[in-house]
Amino acid sequence: MLETATSLAAMARALREQERDQQKEIEWARKRRDAMAREIDDQLTEAKYAARCRDVIEDACKVGVGILKGPSSTTRPRHVGRRGC
C-alpha cells in the first residue's frame, strides 16, 4: 500500500514537472509569435504596403488588371449570403 502511494506521488510530481515544462514551451512560442508578428508588421509598414494596394486597385479599375505580390496585412469579416435584391 505504501509503495503504491509513493509511486502515485512520484507520478504526480512528474506530471506537474511535465506540465511546467510545457507551459514554458508555450510561453516561449507565444513570445516568438509576437516577435514575428511585429517584424512582419514593421516590414509591411516600411514598404507602405497599404498604399501600394490602393494604387493597384486604382490601376485595376482603370486598366482592368492589377497585380500585387505579397500578403494581406489586415483581415475583415466576409459577408456570407446574398445582399438585397
Side-chain angles (χ1 to χ4, degrees):
M1 183 76 161
L2 182 62
E3 195 175 291
T4 305
T6 306
S7 65
L8 287 176
M11 285 176 43
R13 277 193 303 274
L15 287 174
R16 282 192 299 269
E17 186 176 318
Q18 183 181 12
E19 184 179 355
R20 192 171 37 247
D21 291 344
Q22 288 174 347
Q23 288 300 323
K24 285 180 184 178
E25 227 175 291
I26 289 170
E27 185 59 32
W28 177 83
R30 284 184 181 140
K31 286 180 182 178
R32 298 303 305 151
R33 177 198 64 195
D34 293 341
M36 182 56 72
R38 276 192 306 275
E39 179 71 22
I40 291 170
D41 186 54
D42 288 346
Q43 290 175 356
L44 290 173
T45 301
E46 197 172 305
K48 298 179 183 169
Y49 187 76
R52 294 190 190 278
C53 286
R54 288 189 297 272
D55 292 341
V56 169
I57 291 169
E58 183 180 347
D59 289 345
C61 291
K62 291 178 182 176
V63 180
V65 175
I67 299 173
L68 179 68
K69 187 175 180 180
S72 296
S73 59
T74 58
T75 58
R76 292 186 310 188
R78 290 186 166 200
H79 297 285
V80 179
R82 294 172 47 186
R83 290 192 177 177
C85 291

